[in-house]
Amino acid sequence: MTPSPRATWSLRLNLMAWLAVPMVLVLAASLWLSYRTAWRQAMLFMDRDLTSSARMIAEEVRYREGAVGVVIPPAALEIFASDAHDEVAYAVFDDKGVLIAGFPGLTPPSRKPTDGRVEGFDTMFRTEAMHAVSLRQPVITPDGISSVSVTVGETLKARDALVRALWLRGFIEQAALMLAAAISIWFGITVELRPILRLRRAVLDRPPQSVEPFDPGEVQQELQPLVTAVNDHMARLGAYLDRQQRFLDGAAHQMRTPLAILKTQIGVGRRSKSDAQVREVLDKIDQSVSSMTRVTNQLLTLGRVEYERARPAAGPVDMRELLRAVVADIAPRALDCGVDLALEAETPCTVAANELLVREMVVNLVDNAIQHAGRGAVATLSAEVADGMGVITVRDNGPGVPRAERERLFSRFRRGRSAGAGGSGLGLTIVAEIAEMSGGKVELPEVPGGNGFAVAVTLPLWQEDQGTASTNLVV
Ligand SMILES: Nc1ncnc2c1ncn2[C@@H]1O[C@H](COP(=O)(O)OP(=O)(O)O)[C@@H](O)[C@H]1O
Ligand SMILES: [Mg+2]
């Protein structure tokens, strides 16, 4: 499994990146909001000053000596004294739009404010941008009630400075908050990673043969399934190592005994005086070597089965063809031993398995029939489909094995009481392990008529769509 490039980045940086994106978005949104708030607040202050100035001016508007006039009270303009040195402009127009006091060029808004209401608006005065307010003031004249509009505007330096000051403060507060959050998260992650680093240390410090489980309680809840999965894997690995160890022990035993016998036979041969005696010993040595070859082959097969178990590879195996090939291969040996081979495979039967191992399995069963059924026996090989599974049976009409003894025959190195010399007790173990690793099972059914021995191996059938799923057919 190749790790995706993303998965190999630093966990700390990944988490920080996940947090940084929303944090920056939130910071941007909140900066914008605080700018808006600061701006609104500054506008409020400005409008308040402009309005009170406009009102002061409006209160001074009188009808005097035949005309509406105004004397601008100094206080009305002093309100604006600020460090920003803003320019202030005012203008009073009568109801005909004639400027009666103030600066030409500061025009009221085109839409006249209703009486008593103050209208705020942005405008230009000469070359300066200004914010201004305008209000209407009724004036009593001999001809009745007339009205004037009073407009007061101020350049924006003080307002902008206030917005900046208010906003900067909000910005610094929020940035400090974010920074504190980032530092806290960084430290948090560092602390939270410690159990994983401890686990890593524990894994690195382990002796190679140790398969003791790790304590899931040592890590956070979210990581416990990972530790449990690793423990499960190690349990399987432990079982595998155990099997390997037992296999090696058994193999060593199996090799030592015949080697000792061989050594004795050679000793006897050396001491033999006559040619006839030497030939007799050589025959025995030949038998011993044949038997050892068989045992060695079976041990190697068992080792192979163990290896394949770790990476099962299933392909379609045509059982009719396979049985036919096995019969053709073994027929000469069966003939030598006086055992007849028969084949019963009328229906197609294609199972999903490793072809070499299934062949090994069948060869072991036929070998057993030849070895244990005795001269004159008939061994029948059959393949059929039953209950959606492929069933391969090898049966013979030899002496068989008493029922009480049967189940034990699948254990390693276990042989029947009446089995003749030259076996290893591994044949049926190999058969059982191959059946099991192929997803099947092996049984010893009753033989029709009660006499003889039969082994039935059930294997899953090959499904047509399996071809795409299974890739490693190589054996
Ligand atoms: N076809 C058979 N007829 C009678 N007994 C059998 C037959 N096949 C197996 N057995 C018994 O099962 C035992 C285990 O078989 P196996 O594991 O192949 O070991 P081995 O053949 O080396 O003795 C044999 O020793 C024998 O007693
Ligand atoms: Mg055998």
Side-chain angles (χ1 to χ4, degrees):
M1 194 173 62
T2 40
S4 75
R6 221 192 138 274
T8 54
W9 292 0
S10 147
L11 177 63
R12 197 192 317 244
L13 288 182
N14 272 2
L15 288 176
M16 287 305 286
W18 277 105
L19 286 164
V21 172
M23 254 158 72
V24 166
L25 289 179
V26 168
L27 184 65
S30 116
L31 284 181
W32 185 77
L33 285 175
S34 59
Y35 176 79
R36 296 285 309 160
T37 312
W39 191 84
R40 235 177 283 134
Q41 261 175 323
M43 262 339 235
L44 225 61
F45 290 141
M46 192 179 189
D47 276 0
R48 197 191 55 195
D49 288 351
L50 288 170
T51 306
S52 50
S53 168
R55 283 202 201 288
M56 275 187 226
I57 294 171
E59 273 162 20
E60 296 301 321
V61 177
R62 303 256 154 56
Y63 183 81
R64 279 192 212 97
E65 298 156 10
V68 177
V70 59
V71 178
I72 304 299
L77 300 179
E78 277 162 12
I79 294 175
F80 300 103
S82 75
D83 294 345
H85 305 296
D86 271 304
E87 276 187 56
V88 179
Y90 65 92
V92 182
F93 294 93
D94 67 10
D95 60 354
K96 293 187 197 68
V98 178
L99 181 71
I100 48 178
F103 301 81
L106 182 68
T107 41
S110 49
R111 200 159 52 86
K112 282 189 177 175
T114 46
D115 282 348
R117 271 199 53 126
V118 180
E119 188 84 29
F121 63 100
D122 290 322
T123 181
M124 290 293 290
F125 178 65
R126 294 175 193 153
T127 55
E128 298 269 5
M130 265 196 175
H131 183 70
V133 299
S134 193
L135 56 80
R136 287 190 76 74
Q137 173 75 9
V139 188
I140 300 162
T141 65
D143 304 332
I145 295 178
S146 168
S147 73
V148 296
S149 83
V150 180
T151 302
V152 183
E154 188 188 14
T155 50
L156 304 171
K157 283 184 213 145
R159 185 201 67 177
D160 289 347
L162 185 59
V163 170
R164 265 198 303 277
L166 287 174
W167 180 70
L168 197 67
R169 194 195 159 97
F171 173 77
I172 290 170
E173 278 171 7
Q174 281 166 24
L177 201 70
M178 293 283 169
L179 194 68
I183 293 172
S184 148
I185 289 164
W186 185 269
F187 276 113
I189 294 172
T190 307
V191 170
E192 290 301 314
L193 281 179
R194 267 187 208 149
I196 305 180
L197 294 179
R198 269 204 301 274
L199 188 64
R200 172 179 170 270
R201 192 70 263 160
V203 173
L204 286 177
D205 288 348
R206 284 211 149 188
Q209 72 280 11
S210 167
V211 286
E212 292 299 305
F214 295 101
D215 180 6
E218 291 268 315
V219 294
Q220 293 92 336
Q221 260 177 23
E222 290 80 357
L223 293 174
Q224 286 177 2
L226 176 65
V227 176
T228 314
V230 170
N231 285 347
D232 286 352
H233 175 69
M234 285 205 307
R236 288 197 296 275
L237 202 63
Y240 176 70
L241 289 177
D242 272 357
R243 275 205 305 275
Q244 289 288 344
Q245 192 55 50
R246 266 185 281 127
F247 171 74
L248 280 179
D249 292 347
H253 175 75
Q254 287 299 311
M255 302 309 283
R256 225 177 274 132
T257 316
L259 279 174
I261 294 171
L262 210 57
K263 189 117 180 88
T264 316
Q265 285 168 335
I266 292 170
V268 172
R270 280 218 178 104
R271 287 194 297 275
S272 300
K273 304 264 180 323
S274 68
D275 277 1
Q277 266 181 324
V278 172
R279 216 169 293 120
E280 196 185 322
V281 172
L282 277 179
D283 279 349
K284 284 193 177 139
I285 290 178
D286 186 33
Q287 274 171 22
S288 296
V289 171
S290 305
S291 140
M292 251 187 85
T293 309
R294 203 163 46 239
V295 173
T296 309
N297 281 336
Q298 288 201 305
L299 282 170
L300 290 176
T301 306
L302 206 56
R304 177 71 185 268
V305 174
E306 286 295 345
Y307 174 72
E308 291 292 336
R309 189 194 287 278
R311 46 182 266 295
V317 183
D318 180 343
M319 284 314 299
R320 285 204 294 186
E321 213 172 279
L322 189 136
L323 292 188
R324 235 175 262 142
V326 170
V327 168
D329 268 6
I330 297 187
R333 191 144 47 87
L335 201 68
D336 279 352
C337 298
V339 173
D340 266 352
L341 295 185
L343 187 62
E344 282 176 8
E346 281 95 40
T347 50
C349 173
T350 303
V351 299
N354 178 322
E355 182 162 359
L356 272 197
L357 292 184
V358 172
R359 190 189 161 88
E360 195 67 41
M361 186 179 83
V362 175
V363 168
N364 268 288
L365 292 175
V366 180
D367 268 348
N368 274 354
I370 294 173
Q371 200 187 347
H372 303 291
R375 264 182 191 280
V378 180
T380 310
L381 291 75
S382 71
E384 60 187 336
V385 175
D387 297 332
M389 300 285 275
V391 184
I392 296 103
T393 313
V394 177
R395 65 170 195 273
D396 62 63
N397 55 359
V401 177
R403 180 187 286 274
E405 243 185 273
R406 281 187 205 162
E407 278 310 313
R408 281 182 305 210
L409 299 179
F410 291 110
S411 306
R412 287 181 176 194
F413 308 116
R414 179 75 73 153
R415 308 193 65 221
R417 272 181 224 284
S418 51
S424 62
L426 285 174
L428 286 182
T429 313
I430 291 172
V431 171
E433 297 213 359
I434 292 175
E436 187 212 330
M437 73 162 271
S438 314
K441 61 178 188 215
V442 55
E443 284 164 316
L444 301 177
E446 287 300 329
V447 187
N451 250 348
F453 191 75
V455 183
V457 181
T458 311
L459 293 176
L461 286 177
W462 175 258
Q463 311 292 337
E464 272 316 311
D465 54 1
Q466 225 167 316
T468 44
S470 161
T471 48
N472 41 353
L473 304 180
V474 191
V475 190

